[in-house]
Amino acid sequence: PSIVDSIWQQKWIMEQLSVSGLALTLKEKEKGFSVSGYDIKESENKGEPLTLKKIDLFLKQQHRVQINDLRLRIELKESPILDVLVDQADLSTLKKQSWLLAKAQVNAINQQTQLELQLESNGQGFFDAYVKHDQWDWSPWLKGVFPDSLALESMQVSGEHWLRLYGETLQSYTSLVQIQDIALKYTETNKVSKLQNLSAQFNLDKKGVGNSDYIGAIKDLTFSQNKTKWIPSLHEFSYIDEVFEIHSDIIDVGMLSELIAPFDQKGTIAKMRPKGKLINSALSISNKENFAYELVANVDQVFTRPANGTPGFGNLTGKIVMNEHKGHLSVENNDIEIWDAGNF
């Protein structure tokens, strides 16, 4: 123990603490988590939730903690159990700052991945974290994110993630991800939309204090679908005052249509088979009082087949502006082709 610090703070402060072979269970409650295992006893009446703040306070009380062979079971309310084996972890504190370095193996429902974790606390409520993991199917833990009409069947992801939190509120998030495959099923039609080899850089930053406003971007997005590759693109988005906006430099209309076609119950999109590009598009969606949207985009050589009473177009280039009430198309070229269902 650190005698001087222990006397000064009137509690045991360890200069160096070594822990080996510890087994803990982290169980999700209505508010936060409870911990049980070995001599740590849980009480329904007296037990308090585990929070980042309490972890931070514990780190500050120790100069250095070395942990080997820590077995941690994480029991979530609506997701499969995670078993984590921490081979080695090193916690250290200097003045008000704390650091954690750890390497672990995560196991759940017949899959396994290696995990690297770095956590830093500045002593003023901010936490910076870095997480790196090998390929892992996240779909069983993301089921609650989607509405009942959508089912995430698989999402094989590997990547690196950087997070900053203030207390337990996310302030910023950056990730470099590689998704081997992702499959999303529309339950009303049982049709599945699939992507392969998706990669992107994802950024998210909180805007302001005491609200849920965020701004972000998806950079260098690329993926494959049915052996067709998405052109690398940039998408900047924001969610401010209950209004979602996204600005995209380029969108492949054909690939986008294939993605959303399984969700079209009437099959109109599959019949139209659109092709072409949207350049410098902006989409705004508001749900403050009533649903409202606005789309502004430059269209480049768009082609559609006629379907369900809608005529088909070929070589369509210009600008489109539309909302929930009406739409307007300004045409730049004069050699447009138009077909109706009977003459195509």
Side-chain angles (χ1 to χ4, degrees):
S2 177
I3 302 300
V4 175
D5 286 342
S6 297
I7 295 174
W8 181 259
Q9 298 189 36
Q10 298 183 355
K11 54 189 172 184
W12 282 107
I13 304 298
M14 306 303 294
E15 185 69 37
Q16 181 167 324
L17 174 65
S18 295
V19 180
S20 181
L22 183 64
L24 299 174
T25 297
L26 194 64
K27 189 172 183 179
E28 185 181 10
K29 298 291 187 179
E30 290 298 326
K31 294 182 179 181
F33 288 84
S34 63
V35 181
S36 62
Y38 280 108
D39 59 344
I40 302 177
K41 299 184 183 299
E42 179 184 354
S43 169
E44 292 295 334
N45 297 324
K46 298 180 180 179
E48 295 181 356
L50 179 69
T51 65
L52 285 174
K53 184 177 181 179
K54 293 179 181 179
I55 295 175
D56 186 36
L57 289 173
F58 170 76
L59 294 178
K60 291 174 184 175
Q61 294 172 7
Q62 319 304 323
H63 286 177
R64 186 177 183 187
V65 181
Q66 290 182 311
I67 300 175
N68 296 289
D69 191 25
L70 168 65
R71 298 178 182 274
L72 176 64
R73 168 159 285 201
I74 304 175
E75 298 182 358
L76 303 173
K77 293 173 63 177
E78 298 181 1
S79 299
I81 292 173
L82 291 167
D83 287 308
V84 183
L85 173 60
V86 180
D87 299 320
Q88 183 176 6
D90 196 319
L91 296 80
S92 57
T93 301
L94 178 62
K95 295 182 179 180
K96 293 184 178 181
Q97 290 185 291
S98 304
W99 296 267
L100 167 66
L101 302 175
K103 290 186 178 181
Q105 177 181 295
V106 184
N107 300 277
I109 50 175
N110 300 320
Q111 59 176 329
Q112 182 182 100
T113 189
Q114 298 297 317
L115 182 71
E116 180 181 339
L117 172 66
Q118 299 178 24
L119 179 65
E120 179 181 347
S121 167
N122 71 350
Q124 298 177 351
F126 283 97
F127 294 86
D128 289 300
Y130 166 76
V131 182
K132 181 180 180 181
H133 61 89
D134 296 335
Q135 185 171 294
W136 181 265
D137 184 3
W138 285 97
S139 59
W141 291 270
L142 296 176
K143 291 185 182 298
V145 175
F146 295 89
D148 294 339
S149 58
L150 297 177
L152 184 63
E153 296 199 323
S154 69
M155 188 176 177
Q156 299 281 348
V157 184
S158 62
E160 297 179 82
H161 313 268
W162 294 261
L163 302 91
R164 165 161 275 208
L165 299 96
Y166 181 71
E168 296 185 359
T169 301
L170 180 66
Q171 298 296 313
S172 65
Y173 171 67
T174 299
S175 69
L176 296 172
V177 295
Q178 301 282 337
I179 301 180
Q180 181 178 350
D181 69 80
I182 179 172
L184 192 63
K185 182 173 75 173
Y186 187 55
T187 55
E188 295 186 18
T189 62
N190 280 328
K191 293 182 179 179
V192 179
S193 182
K194 294 183 178 181
L195 299 178
Q196 298 83 33
N197 303 318
L198 186 150
S199 65
Q201 176 180 326
F202 182 83
N203 299 97
L204 185 67
D205 292 286
K206 195 172 190 308
K207 187 176 178 64
V209 179
N211 55 42
S212 300
D213 295 346
Y214 286 90
I215 58 174
I218 303 173
K219 302 177 181 178
D220 301 322
L221 173 66
T222 183
F223 57 86
S224 298
Q225 182 190 39
N226 298 328
K227 297 183 179 181
T228 304
K229 191 171 182 179
W230 180 275
I231 302 171
S233 55
L234 169 66
H235 309 269
E236 298 176 315
F237 60 88
S238 65
Y239 181 80
I240 299 175
D241 193 22
E242 299 185 54
V243 177
F244 175 77
E245 295 185 358
I246 182 167
H247 299 256
S248 304
D249 61 350
I250 186 169
I251 294 176
D252 186 314
V253 175
M255 294 188 71
L256 178 62
S257 299
E258 288 190 39
L259 281 175
I260 63 177
F263 314 129
D264 177 16
Q265 297 187 53
K266 296 182 179 180
T268 303
I269 295 176
K271 294 176 183 177
M272 294 178 69
R273 295 173 60 183
K275 295 180 180 179
K277 297 180 179 66
L278 296 181
I279 309 295
N280 297 327
S281 63
L283 174 64
S284 174
I285 301 175
S286 173
N287 200 24
K288 283 186 176 182
E289 297 180 358
N290 299 308
F291 176 79
Y293 78 92
E294 182 180 53
L295 171 66
V296 179
N298 296 311
V299 296
D300 181 36
Q301 296 183 344
V302 170
F303 168 92
T304 65
R305 292 173 179 265
N308 296 351
T310 302
F313 298 91
N315 195 33
L316 182 62
T317 298
K319 183 176 182 179
I320 186 171
V321 179
M322 62 185 299
N323 56 35
E324 70 275 13
H325 301 298
K326 60 181 180 180
H328 177 76
L329 176 64
S330 301
V331 179
E332 295 182 359
N333 55 333
N334 53 16
D335 55 349
I336 301 171
E337 298 176 313
I338 302 176
W339 308 278
D340 61 33
N343 296 326
F344 185 73

